[in-house]
Amino acid sequence: MATTKKKKTTKKQQQEERKHVRTFWKLFGALLGVVLLVFLLASWGVFGKLPDETSLENPEKNLATEIIATDGITLGKFYKENRTPVLYEELPSHLVNALVATEDARFYDHSGIDAKGTVRAFVFLGSRGGASTITQQLARQFFVGQASKNTFERLIQKVKEWVIATRLERRYTKEEIITMYFNEYDFLNQAVGIESAANIYFDKAPNNLSTVESATLVGMFKNSSLYNPLRNPEGVKNRRNVVLAQMAKYDFITDEVKDSLQALPLEITYTPQGHDEGIATYFREYARAFMADWIEENPKTDGTSYNIYRDGLKIYTTIDSKMQKYAEEAMEAHMMNLQREFDSQNEKNKTAPFRDISEEEIEGIIESAMRRSDRWRQMELQGSSEAEIRESFNKEIPMRVFSWTAENRVKDTVMSPLDSIRYYKRFLRASLMSMTPQTGEVKAWVGGVDYKHFKYDMVKTGKRQIGSTFKPFVYATAIDQMHMSPCDTLPNTQYTIEAGKYGLLKPWTPKNSGGDYGGMLTLKKALAQSINTITARLIDRVGPKPVIDLVKKMGVDTENMPEAPSIALGTPDVSLYEMVGAYSTFANMGVYVKPILIERIEDKNGTVLYQNVPETRDVISDESAYVTLSLMEGVTQSGSGSRLRGSWRAPQKLYQDVITGYPYEFSNPIAGKTGTTQNNSDGWFMGMVPNLVTGVWVGGEDRSVHFQRTLYGQGATMALPIWGTYMKKCYADEDLNVSDGAFERPSNISIVTDCASYRDDENDVEEIPDEFDF
């Protein structure tokens, strides 16, 4: 009986167990069914729209437009999000390994969802690591968005991530998913994607990152706001070391390597990529304006307009990044010295920084600047009265202002906006443009001393009187029309063009700078010493109109240039851009080539949208061009440009404190011309070697801001040192292949250029009078 009862009990227990098992499997099946149903509903879009096949094929994202130098260096970007995609081949293996080891160790084994990781996350509620795969994280970044704080909504988001992740895995290879992940992530500080992050945090391309640098960036994937090297360097270092430990755990690096790398300090080379920072800032603004015009005239095939902030265009330019760097360095070095001397000489100037104008005129300058300021414009838009606006200009407020001596060129101070206007007026401005004359390719473009604080571009936008740099055009006209030779002589006596001729209302009798007259001078020596009387005789022989016609063919805007003989001494306002283009005609055997800055434009897929076509025209004969060059070589042999050779007698203080880079000691052929305008308001130097023409301008924003003495205010002191320093740097870099040879001599030349009577003069050295070159 007992045995029978026991058997019945055992049988009953077995039935109960089978019942529980069936119940479990029913519940499990139901749960699985619910999960499958949820996934099915999600895939049907019941919980919100999912990306279609087109969206999966082309995920919507903003791509930065790159401005690329001729040597492949990125000069800058235009962006809403600073994102430039890279290819998988550009990602170093240790960067990929760091990501996989830290974020998804089974990445190559799953199809978008890590089952093992998911179960672990459910069982331990995430305490032993999350379950999101790299593909799920990519799905979230592309299509799902920021995680919701609502539990139910977050669950729905997670389901969407799973569905999208599986679709991404079906459509893309593992390498493509890795690449998209690196290109998509926002590392903050305008660093969207690995290309921007590598450049901004380490100043290098992704493929040049070291293992420890790669670990630093991968560590930021956890939370770039928390693990940000600018705000939390210690946290970033700790997170970096976690990444290195993960790499060792999965045998991507050895324990010995891990230990040595973890011991390294955190080293960041922060290189911001805002438009005010970096290289070629003025040129980049030119490129922005160029693109605005191009976009207006060139719509997409669907009729919509390109957008430089999100379409990922590539703008290939003619700028050489090294030459641009040398130009900016040369300008900075000289302008610091020149400004220091300028400020020193203004210490006893009661109207500083202005000279030779009345108090009423000064008030007019300040008033005009105040009305053109952003503060005035913004307050006016806000409805403030004129009295309220003026009152605000007199209130002292904290502000950051430009300073040559401050760190990063910015200092904190307290002053009124009105005082800040006068403060900024004291700074001398400058510009430089360098161009290959045979192709028109502009190699360097520096529109000012500091783009952040002085945004007005003095290469192309600004125009100033050009002084004696205009004289070679007068000489070239005489050579081309009258077959004159550098050896021809003219009397160095005062010369008058009578009233009525060329529309003159009264006689015109220009004076030589310094008041020296007498004797006969060759054209070569006359140009070298910038003799005004000789230039006056020449323009009277050829007439102002042929000279204007010549410079117009050379790309100079002559619309407002009067047909008056005074233009011979450089009274017209001309841009540096126009001057470099015009002078390049001489170095290119009489052929003008319009300056080129944008070589081509490509879309994000590499399709060429624009290809520059050079604009050229014959202006003067190759013989006339060569003879004019021969004349200008005299300027650097025995004239105001001879300090480039080292043969220069001047006060020691001048070349020690002001003439940056002296001695230059160039021995190669150089053709050039200095220029100085009335009252020393503008200093110019135009210098040429066979394959590079470079122009420099220096002056105040207002013509009344200038040196008192021509010794300091002439082009040979203000502008030439920038040219000399720049060219020394270019010659030191042999990769640039800047010519140190002679200018090409035409085969059919008939004009004598080697003057026996001038040979003795070639050994002369420049004497520096108090007043020299206008």
Side-chain angles (χ1 to χ4, degrees):
M1 291 289 295
T3 302
T4 304
K5 188 175 181 180
K6 186 176 182 179
K7 287 182 179 179
K8 288 181 178 180
T9 303
T10 302
K11 188 176 181 180
K12 187 176 182 180
Q13 288 176 342
Q14 290 175 345
Q15 290 175 344
E16 287 290 330
E17 288 175 359
R18 284 195 292 270
K19 181 180 179 182
H20 289 315
V21 170
R22 286 195 297 270
T23 302
F24 169 78
W25 284 111
K26 286 179 181 179
L27 291 174
F28 180 78
L31 179 61
L32 184 61
V34 169
V35 171
L36 292 174
L37 179 61
V38 169
F39 271 89
L40 188 60
L41 292 173
S43 66
W44 290 343
V46 173
F47 302 127
K49 186 178 179 181
L50 290 176
D52 56 22
E53 294 299 311
T54 302
S55 298
L56 287 173
E57 188 70 37
N58 298 288
E60 184 67 30
K61 53 189 174 185
N62 295 310
L63 299 178
T65 289
E66 281 189 277
I67 309 167
I68 303 171
T70 188
D71 50 1
I73 301 298
T74 297
L75 298 172
K77 300 177 184 180
F78 301 127
Y79 55 83
K80 179 180 179 183
E81 294 179 345
N82 186 14
R83 184 202 323 276
T84 301
V86 298
L87 301 174
Y88 182 80
E89 292 73 22
E90 298 174 70
L91 302 174
S93 58
H94 51 71
L95 179 65
V96 175
N97 293 339
L99 176 66
V100 171
T102 307
E103 296 293 330
D104 190 356
R106 287 178 290 277
F107 173 70
Y108 294 105
D109 301 324
H110 61 67
S111 299
I113 301 174
D114 182 5
K116 184 177 178 180
T118 301
V119 172
R120 182 193 63 211
F122 272 117
V123 172
F124 297 101
L125 301 178
S127 61
R128 295 191 181 181
S132 287
T133 64
I134 289 174
T135 317
Q136 285 177 245
Q137 294 178 46
L138 180 64
R140 183 190 312 144
Q141 292 181 49
F142 272 161
F143 306 111
V144 178
Q146 189 173 0
S148 173
K149 294 181 179 180
N150 182 282
T151 303
F152 178 75
E153 290 180 355
R154 181 66 192 112
L155 181 61
I156 296 301
Q157 285 182 328
K158 182 61 71 174
V159 171
K160 286 183 178 181
E161 286 177 21
W162 287 338
V163 173
I164 297 170
T166 56
R167 291 183 178 180
L168 288 172
E169 288 277 351
R170 287 198 302 268
R171 182 163 295 277
Y172 296 104
T173 66
K174 292 290 186 179
E175 289 74 18
E176 289 171 330
I177 290 172
I178 284 279
T179 305
M180 288 190 289
Y181 187 82
F182 274 116
N183 285 330
E184 182 65 18
Y185 191 76
D186 187 352
F187 293 85
L188 299 187
N189 298 309
Q190 298 176 335
V192 182
I194 193 65
E195 194 273 346
S196 295
N199 279 281
I200 287 176
Y201 292 118
F202 296 107
D203 194 23
K204 59 178 64 175
N207 58 359
N208 293 323
L209 290 170
S210 66
T211 300
V212 73
E213 291 166 342
S214 293
T216 301
L217 293 177
V218 168
M220 294 176 68
F221 279 120
K222 186 174 180 66
N223 185 333
S224 58
S225 180
L226 175 61
Y227 297 106
N228 191 289
L230 301 186
R231 294 198 297 261
N232 182 16
E234 191 62 31
V236 170
K237 180 182 177 182
N238 292 337
R239 181 62 186 166
R240 177 202 72 183
N241 289 347
V242 169
V243 175
L244 292 170
Q246 288 294 108
M247 293 179 73
K249 176 181 177 181
Y250 292 102
D251 297 325
F252 291 122
I253 58 175
T254 65
D255 287 334
E256 290 77 11
V257 171
K258 177 202 73 174
D259 293 339
S260 64
L261 294 181
Q262 286 181 335
L264 294 175
L266 179 69
E267 294 184 351
I268 299 295
T269 306
Y270 182 58
T271 311
Q273 291 187 345
H275 191 62
D276 289 349
E277 294 91 14
I279 195 172
T281 45
Y282 289 92
F283 168 73
R284 280 148 49 189
E285 187 56 35
Y286 164 84
R288 188 200 301 272
F290 177 94
M291 290 302 297
D293 292 339
W294 181 84
I295 286 170
E296 187 175 345
E297 298 173 4
N298 297 272
K300 296 180 181 178
T301 53
D302 63 2
T304 61
S305 296
Y306 287 100
N307 188 313
I308 62 172
Y309 301 104
R310 66 167 183 257
D311 283 346
L313 304 177
K314 292 187 184 297
I315 306 170
Y316 291 91
T317 75
T318 61
I319 297 293
D320 184 289
S321 69
K322 291 196 289 186
M323 296 176 77
Q324 179 69 30
K325 177 174 176 285
Y326 299 152
E328 293 180 9
E329 289 174 347
M331 180 175 290
E332 179 177 328
H334 181 59
M335 293 308 293
M336 283 181 66
N337 292 335
L338 195 67
Q339 188 67 49
R340 182 173 59 247
E341 182 63 29
F342 185 70
D343 291 342
S344 174
Q345 293 188 22
N346 267 318
E347 287 178 359
K348 296 182 180 180
N349 176 16
K350 295 180 180 179
T351 60
F354 308 102
R355 289 185 183 275
D356 307 323
I357 59 175
S358 65
E359 285 293 339
E360 290 75 18
E361 289 173 308
I362 293 174
E363 289 176 6
I365 291 172
I366 301 298
E367 173 73 13
S368 175
M370 187 166 59
R371 287 183 172 274
R372 286 185 285 108
S373 68
D374 290 338
R375 170 180 289 270
W376 186 289
R377 184 168 55 253
Q378 290 170 4
M379 291 188 69
E380 203 168 44
L381 289 173
Q382 293 168 1
S384 301
S385 66
E386 182 171 327
E388 291 172 328
I389 296 174
R390 289 186 180 279
E391 183 181 359
S392 75
F393 272 88
N394 288 294
K395 290 181 180 178
E396 289 192 344
I397 56 174
M399 63 175 68
R400 308 189 78 193
V401 297
F402 174 80
S403 172
W404 278 116
T405 58
E407 185 178 1
N408 297 322
R409 306 284 179 251
V410 176
K411 73 173 183 179
D412 294 309
T413 187
V414 175
M415 66 172 69
S416 70
L418 192 62
D419 288 338
S420 74
I421 290 175
R422 193 162 189 140
Y423 172 81
Y424 276 112
K425 289 290 185 182
R426 62 181 266 263
F427 287 102
L428 296 172
R429 316 296 170 87
S431 57
L432 176 151
M433 178 173 151
S434 191
M435 168 179 154
T436 303
Q438 291 77 19
T439 63
E441 295 177 348
V442 176
K443 296 300 179 183
W445 173 300
V446 189
V449 295
D450 184 272
Y451 181 78
K452 188 172 185 177
H453 297 90
F454 308 100
K455 285 186 165 53
Y456 193 74
D457 185 286
M458 288 302 299
V459 168
K460 190 175 185 183
T461 307
K463 295 188 176 187
R464 297 293 288 254
Q465 284 190 345
I466 52 177
S468 293
T469 54
F470 193 84
K471 289 177 181 176
F473 302 128
V474 179
Y475 281 72
T477 305
I479 292 166
D480 201 45
Q481 290 190 1
M482 306 174 67
H483 220 61
M484 294 188 74
S485 163
C487 311
D488 289 341
T489 59
L490 290 173
N492 179 22
T493 57
Q494 286 195 331
Y495 186 80
T496 299
I497 298 178
E498 65 273 16
K501 195 173 186 180
Y502 310 121
L504 290 174
L505 298 178
K506 59 182 180 180
W508 182 64
T509 308
K511 297 179 180 180
N512 286 337
S513 177
D516 294 328
Y517 304 95
M520 301 290 289
L521 292 177
T522 63
L523 295 190
K524 192 165 189 177
K525 189 163 188 176
L527 183 63
Q529 297 188 358
S530 208
I531 303 300
N532 289 341
T533 57
I534 303 294
T535 309
R537 291 176 184 274
L538 290 176
I539 199 165
D540 193 26
R541 289 190 180 190
V542 301
K545 189 176 186 308
V547 178
I548 293 174
D549 291 341
L550 176 73
V551 296
K552 183 177 182 179
K553 292 176 184 177
M554 290 178 166
V556 176
D557 179 8
T558 60
E559 184 177 355
N560 297 316
M561 193 175 292
E563 292 184 17
S566 59
I567 64 171
L569 305 187
T571 56
D573 289 343
V574 182
S575 72
L576 180 62
Y577 173 89
E578 293 169 313
M579 288 297 289
V580 173
Y583 266 64
S584 292
T585 306
F586 299 126
N588 193 33
M589 306 186 75
V591 179
Y592 170 76
V593 182
K594 184 178 180 180
I596 301 167
L597 291 120
I598 309 299
E599 188 68 43
R600 73 180 186 278
I601 302 168
E602 294 181 0
D603 67 13
K604 64 182 180 181
N605 299 315
T607 303
V608 176
L609 305 175
Y610 165 84
Q611 181 70 55
N612 179 76
V613 178
E615 294 182 33
T616 67
R617 55 178 168 268
D618 294 337
V619 178
I620 54 175
S621 69
D622 56 356
E623 180 182 36
S624 297
Y626 179 79
V627 173
T628 306
L629 285 173
S630 177
L631 280 169
M632 285 191 279
E633 283 188 77
V635 174
T636 67
Q637 292 166 349
S638 63
S640 56
S642 64
R643 59 188 66 180
L644 291 171
R645 307 295 183 187
S647 54
W648 175 42
R649 301 189 190 107
Q652 187 178 27
K653 181 181 185 301
L654 184 64
Y655 64 75
Q656 281 187 340
D657 297 345
V658 182
I659 308 301
T660 310
Y662 185 83
Y664 308 105
E665 298 180 336
F666 294 117
S667 58
N668 56 293
I670 299 172
K673 187 69 189 81
T674 57
T676 310
T677 60
Q678 194 70 32
N679 295 328
N680 312 312
S681 295
D682 305 274
W684 292 78
F685 183 71
M686 305 295 299
M688 295 178 283
V689 296
N691 65 349
L692 195 65
V693 176
T694 304
V696 180
W697 167 85
V698 177
E701 180 184 14
D702 300 277
R703 290 185 53 80
S704 54
V705 177
H706 59 77
F707 279 100
Q708 184 175 18
R709 298 173 60 197
T710 303
L711 178 65
Y712 291 93
Q714 63 177 301
T717 302
M718 292 213 295
L720 180 145
I722 297 176
W723 191 94
T725 305
Y726 166 66
M727 290 299 292
K728 280 177 71 174
K729 290 174 179 287
C730 288
Y731 277 124
D733 190 336
E734 295 181 359
D735 291 339
L736 298 178
N737 294 316
V738 176
S739 173
D740 60 359
F743 292 96
E744 184 177 354
R745 180 185 177 92
S747 58
N748 60 342
I749 190 166
S750 60
I751 298 175
V752 176
T753 58
D754 185 13
C755 313
S757 61
Y758 192 74
R759 285 174 186 162
D760 292 337
D761 295 329
E762 292 180 356
N763 295 318
D764 289 351
V765 297
E766 180 194 4
E767 300 287 349
I768 303 294
D770 190 48
E771 303 291 325
F772 187 74
D773 179 29
F774 284 89

